[in-house]
Amino acid sequence: MVTLRKVELDEAGLLLDFSKKTFYDFFAHLNEPANIEAYALVAFTPQKMQEELSNPNSEFYFAMLNGQVAGYLKLNFADAQTEFRDEKALEVERIYVSGEHHGKHIGRQLLKFAVDTAINRQLDYVWLGVWEHNYKAIGFYQHHGFEVFSSHEFLLGDDRQIDLLMRRML
Ligand SMILES: CC(C)(COP(=O)(O)OP(=O)(O)OC[C@H]1O[C@@H](n2cnc3c(N)ncnc32)[C@H](O)[C@@H]1OP(=O)(O)O)[C@@H](O)C(=O)NCCC(=O)NCCS
Protein backbone atom coordinates (compact mmCIF):
# COMPACT_ATOMS: atom_id res chain seq x y z
CA MET A 1 0.00 0.00 0.00
CA VAL A 2 1.20 3.50 -0.82
CA THR A 3 1.39 6.02 2.02
CA LEU A 4 2.25 9.69 1.87
CA ARG A 5 4.40 11.37 4.49
CA LYS A 6 6.04 14.74 4.91
CA VAL A 7 9.74 14.95 4.08
CA GLU A 8 11.75 16.09 7.11
CA LEU A 9 14.64 18.54 7.07
CA ASP A 10 17.18 15.82 7.86
CA GLU A 11 16.08 13.88 4.74
CA ALA A 12 17.51 16.45 2.33
CA GLY A 13 20.05 13.90 1.05
CA LEU A 14 17.42 11.27 0.24
CA LEU A 15 15.20 13.89 -1.40
CA LEU A 16 18.11 15.21 -3.44
CA ASP A 17 19.07 11.73 -4.71
CA PHE A 18 15.49 10.83 -5.62
CA SER A 19 14.68 14.13 -7.31
CA LYS A 20 17.89 14.17 -9.31
CA LYS A 21 17.44 10.56 -10.41
CA THR A 22 13.83 11.03 -11.54
CA PHE A 23 14.70 14.29 -13.34
CA TYR A 24 17.45 12.51 -15.32
CA ASP A 25 15.30 9.42 -15.94
CA PHE A 26 12.48 11.41 -17.51
CA PHE A 27 14.14 14.38 -19.16
CA ALA A 28 17.80 13.55 -19.96
CA HIS A 29 17.01 11.63 -23.17
CA LEU A 30 14.72 14.41 -24.44
CA ASN A 31 17.21 17.27 -24.09
CA GLU A 32 20.81 18.24 -24.92
CA PRO A 33 23.15 16.78 -22.26
CA ALA A 34 24.82 20.19 -21.73
CA ASN A 35 21.46 21.81 -20.95
CA ILE A 36 20.48 19.04 -18.55
CA GLU A 37 23.84 19.32 -16.76
CA ALA A 38 23.65 23.11 -16.55
CA TYR A 39 20.19 22.96 -15.03
CA ALA A 40 21.04 20.13 -12.62
CA LEU A 41 24.17 21.93 -11.37
CA VAL A 42 21.97 24.74 -10.08
CA ALA A 43 18.74 22.91 -9.21
CA PHE A 44 20.08 19.82 -7.47
CA THR A 45 22.62 20.84 -4.83
CA PRO A 46 22.55 19.98 -1.11
CA GLN A 47 22.38 23.68 -0.29
CA LYS A 48 19.42 24.36 -2.62
CA MET A 49 17.57 21.34 -1.22
CA GLN A 50 18.13 22.53 2.36
CA GLU A 51 16.86 25.98 1.43
CA GLU A 52 13.75 24.60 -0.24
CA LEU A 53 13.01 22.27 2.69
CA SER A 54 13.48 25.14 5.15
CA ASN A 55 11.04 27.46 3.41
CA PRO A 56 7.96 27.65 5.71
CA ASN A 57 5.72 28.08 2.66
CA SER A 58 6.93 24.95 0.86
CA GLU A 59 6.14 21.34 1.73
CA PHE A 60 7.57 18.12 0.33
CA TYR A 61 5.90 14.72 0.59
CA PHE A 62 7.20 11.26 -0.21
CA ALA A 63 4.98 8.50 -1.55
CA MET A 64 6.28 5.37 0.19
CA LEU A 65 5.80 1.85 -1.16
CA ASN A 66 7.18 -1.14 0.75
CA GLY A 67 9.54 1.10 2.71
CA GLN A 68 10.98 2.70 -0.43
CA VAL A 69 10.46 6.17 -1.89
CA ALA A 70 8.28 5.69 -4.99
CA GLY A 71 7.40 9.33 -5.70
CA TYR A 72 7.41 12.85 -4.34
CA LEU A 73 5.47 16.07 -4.39
CA LYS A 74 6.47 19.68 -3.79
CA LEU A 75 3.78 22.19 -2.82
CA ASN A 76 4.27 25.95 -2.66
CA PHE A 77 2.03 28.38 -0.81
CA ALA A 78 1.90 32.18 -0.73
CA ASP A 79 5.27 33.78 -1.58
CA ALA A 80 7.01 30.42 -2.14
CA GLN A 81 5.11 30.06 -5.44
CA THR A 82 7.33 30.48 -8.49
CA GLU A 83 4.84 32.88 -10.11
CA PHE A 84 1.77 35.00 -9.23
CA ARG A 85 2.27 34.41 -5.47
CA ASP A 86 -1.47 34.54 -5.01
CA GLU A 87 -2.33 33.93 -1.33
CA LYS A 88 -5.46 32.04 -2.43
CA ALA A 89 -3.58 29.59 -4.68
CA LEU A 90 -1.46 26.47 -4.30
CA GLU A 91 1.32 25.58 -6.75
CA VAL A 92 2.30 21.98 -7.42
CA GLU A 93 5.90 22.70 -8.34
CA ARG A 94 6.98 19.08 -8.68
CA ILE A 95 5.24 15.72 -8.88
CA TYR A 96 7.29 12.68 -9.81
CA VAL A 97 6.72 8.94 -9.63
CA SER A 98 9.66 6.65 -10.41
CA GLY A 99 9.31 4.88 -13.74
CA GLU A 100 8.89 1.35 -12.39
CA HIS A 101 5.82 2.49 -10.45
CA HIS A 102 3.98 4.41 -13.17
CA GLY A 103 0.36 3.46 -13.72
CA LYS A 104 -0.16 2.32 -10.11
CA HIS A 105 -2.17 5.42 -9.21
CA ILE A 106 0.62 6.90 -7.11
CA GLY A 107 0.55 10.11 -9.16
CA ARG A 108 -3.21 10.28 -8.71
CA GLN A 109 -2.80 9.91 -4.95
CA LEU A 110 -0.17 12.68 -4.83
CA LEU A 111 -2.27 15.04 -6.94
CA LYS A 112 -5.41 14.31 -4.91
CA PHE A 113 -3.43 15.10 -1.77
CA ALA A 114 -2.44 18.47 -3.27
CA VAL A 115 -6.05 19.29 -4.20
CA ASP A 116 -7.36 18.17 -0.77
CA THR A 117 -4.71 20.31 0.94
CA ALA A 118 -5.84 23.36 -1.05
CA ILE A 119 -9.51 22.64 -0.23
CA ASN A 120 -8.71 22.27 3.49
CA ARG A 121 -6.93 25.62 3.44
CA GLN A 122 -9.87 27.18 1.61
CA LEU A 123 -7.82 28.20 -1.39
CA ASP A 124 -9.39 29.08 -4.74
CA TYR A 125 -7.30 27.00 -7.15
CA VAL A 126 -4.34 24.69 -7.70
CA TRP A 127 -1.93 25.48 -10.53
CA LEU A 128 1.28 24.12 -12.06
CA GLY A 129 3.66 24.52 -14.98
CA VAL A 130 4.36 21.65 -17.36
CA TRP A 131 6.70 21.45 -20.37
CA GLU A 132 4.62 21.75 -23.56
CA HIS A 133 6.12 18.47 -24.86
CA ASN A 134 5.40 16.47 -21.70
CA TYR A 135 2.29 14.95 -23.26
CA LYS A 136 1.86 12.24 -20.67
CA ALA A 137 1.81 14.68 -17.76
CA ILE A 138 -0.48 17.11 -19.65
CA GLY A 139 -2.94 14.24 -20.27
CA PHE A 140 -2.69 13.19 -16.63
CA TYR A 141 -3.49 16.72 -15.42
CA GLN A 142 -6.38 17.13 -17.89
CA HIS A 143 -7.76 13.81 -16.72
CA HIS A 144 -7.80 15.30 -13.22
CA GLY A 145 -9.64 18.48 -14.13
CA PHE A 146 -6.76 20.87 -14.91
CA GLU A 147 -7.03 23.30 -17.84
CA VAL A 148 -4.39 25.39 -19.59
CA PHE A 149 -4.75 29.07 -18.67
CA SER A 150 -1.41 30.55 -19.70
CA SER A 151 2.22 29.76 -20.52
CA HIS A 152 5.68 31.00 -19.68
CA GLU A 153 9.29 30.56 -20.73
CA PHE A 154 11.48 28.16 -18.85
CA LEU A 155 15.25 28.16 -19.31
CA LEU A 156 16.84 24.71 -19.35
CA GLY A 157 20.53 25.53 -19.70
CA ASP A 158 20.44 27.77 -22.78
CA ASP A 159 17.30 26.18 -24.24
CA ARG A 160 14.23 28.44 -23.99
CA GLN A 161 11.31 26.07 -23.45
CA ILE A 162 7.61 26.77 -23.13
CA ASP A 163 5.78 25.61 -20.01
CA LEU A 164 2.00 25.44 -20.15
CA LEU A 165 0.39 26.77 -16.99
CA MET A 166 -2.57 24.66 -15.94
CA ARG A 167 -5.02 25.15 -13.10
CA ARG A 168 -7.97 23.52 -11.42
CA MET A 169 -10.50 25.80 -9.78
CA LEU A 170 -11.86 24.52 -6.45
C1 LIG B 1 2.76 12.32 -14.48
C2 LIG B 1 2.94 11.27 -13.39
C3 LIG B 1 3.19 11.95 -12.06
C4 LIG B 1 1.65 10.43 -13.32
O1 LIG B 1 1.78 9.49 -12.27
P1 LIG B 1 1.33 7.95 -12.42
O2 LIG B 1 1.45 7.36 -11.07
O3 LIG B 1 2.08 7.31 -13.51
O4 LIG B 1 -0.18 8.07 -12.89
P2 LIG B 1 -1.41 7.30 -12.28
O5 LIG B 1 -1.17 5.83 -12.32
O6 LIG B 1 -1.72 7.88 -10.94
O7 LIG B 1 -2.57 7.70 -13.29
C5 LIG B 1 -3.69 8.34 -12.72
C6 LIG B 1 -4.81 8.49 -13.68
O8 LIG B 1 -4.43 9.37 -14.73
C7 LIG B 1 -4.63 8.72 -15.96
N1 LIG B 1 -3.58 9.11 -16.86
C8 LIG B 1 -2.26 8.92 -16.68
N2 LIG B 1 -1.61 9.41 -17.74
C9 LIG B 1 -2.54 9.90 -18.58
C10 LIG B 1 -2.49 10.52 -19.86
N3 LIG B 1 -1.35 10.73 -20.50
N4 LIG B 1 -3.65 10.91 -20.43
C11 LIG B 1 -4.85 10.71 -19.80
N5 LIG B 1 -4.94 10.11 -18.60
C12 LIG B 1 -3.80 9.72 -18.01
C13 LIG B 1 -4.61 7.24 -15.66
O9 LIG B 1 -5.37 6.54 -16.62
C14 LIG B 1 -5.28 7.19 -14.30
O10 LIG B 1 -6.68 7.32 -14.44
P3 LIG B 1 -7.71 6.81 -13.28
O11 LIG B 1 -7.27 7.49 -12.01
O12 LIG B 1 -9.04 7.29 -13.78
O13 LIG B 1 -7.57 5.34 -13.23
C15 LIG B 1 4.10 10.29 -13.74
O14 LIG B 1 3.88 9.77 -14.99
C16 LIG B 1 5.48 10.93 -13.68
O15 LIG B 1 6.13 10.94 -12.66
N6 LIG B 1 5.97 11.40 -14.85
C17 LIG B 1 7.34 11.89 -14.98
C18 LIG B 1 7.58 13.17 -14.24
C19 LIG B 1 6.72 14.27 -14.73
O16 LIG B 1 6.53 14.46 -15.92
N7 LIG B 1 6.18 15.02 -13.78
C20 LIG B 1 5.36 16.16 -14.06
C21 LIG B 1 6.24 17.32 -14.30
S1 LIG B 1 5.22 18.75 -14.58
Side-chain angles (χ1 to χ4, degrees):
M1 196 186 76
V2 176
T3 51
L4 305 191
R5 69 167 178 83
K6 201 164 182 183
V7 181
E8 302 298 336
L9 199 53
D10 64 2
E11 293 179 304
L14 179 60
L15 180 63
L16 178 62
D17 290 348
F18 188 83
S19 33
K20 197 170 171 183
K21 181 185 182 313
T22 46
F23 174 76
Y24 272 85
D25 284 352
F26 297 121
F27 298 117
H29 65 289
L30 300 172
N31 291 279
E32 290 293 329
N35 289 332
I36 287 284
E37 287 298 324
Y39 178 79
L41 269 176
V42 177
F44 301 113
T45 67
Q47 192 194 347
K48 178 99 188 326
M49 208 92 272
Q50 283 285 348
E51 278 169 21
E52 290 183 48
L53 270 169
S54 307
N55 187 328
N57 282 326
S58 291
E59 293 176 5
F60 287 86
Y61 292 87
F62 280 143
M64 304 296 299
L65 181 63
N66 302 326
Q68 302 285 323
V69 178
Y72 83 105
L73 176 71
K74 182 183 181 193
L75 303 180
N76 292 330
F77 303 88
D79 65 1
Q81 293 171 94
T82 57
E83 232 173 284
F84 312 121
R85 299 186 179 86
D86 183 345
E87 294 280 338
K88 297 293 284 178
L90 166 63
E91 177 188 13
V92 175
E93 189 186 347
R94 290 185 223 138
I95 179 166
Y96 282 78
V97 174
S98 62
E100 69 268 35
H101 297 305
H102 278 191
K104 296 181 184 173
H105 291 144
I106 299 174
R108 177 174 74 180
Q109 202 170 324
L110 287 166
L111 196 60
K112 182 177 184 313
F113 178 82
V115 170
D116 288 347
T117 300
I119 290 171
N120 289 338
R121 297 194 190 200
Q122 300 184 312
L123 303 180
D124 292 340
Y125 60 98
V126 179
W127 72 278
L128 52 87
V130 54
W131 186 28
E132 62 175 342
H133 297 304
N134 191 348
Y135 309 111
K136 179 175 167 142
I138 293 168
F140 167 75
Y141 296 134
Q142 283 171 335
H143 185 79
H144 289 94
F146 284 74
E147 288 176 358
V148 175
F149 70 99
S150 186
S151 65
H152 69 186
E153 259 187 19
F154 175 81
L155 205 57
L156 188 90
D158 62 10
D159 183 16
R160 286 188 192 283
Q161 303 190 340
I162 302 292
D163 271 357
L164 302 180
L165 303 184
M166 302 182 77
R167 86 179 145 198
R168 175 169 155 180
M169 302 305 294
L170 302 175

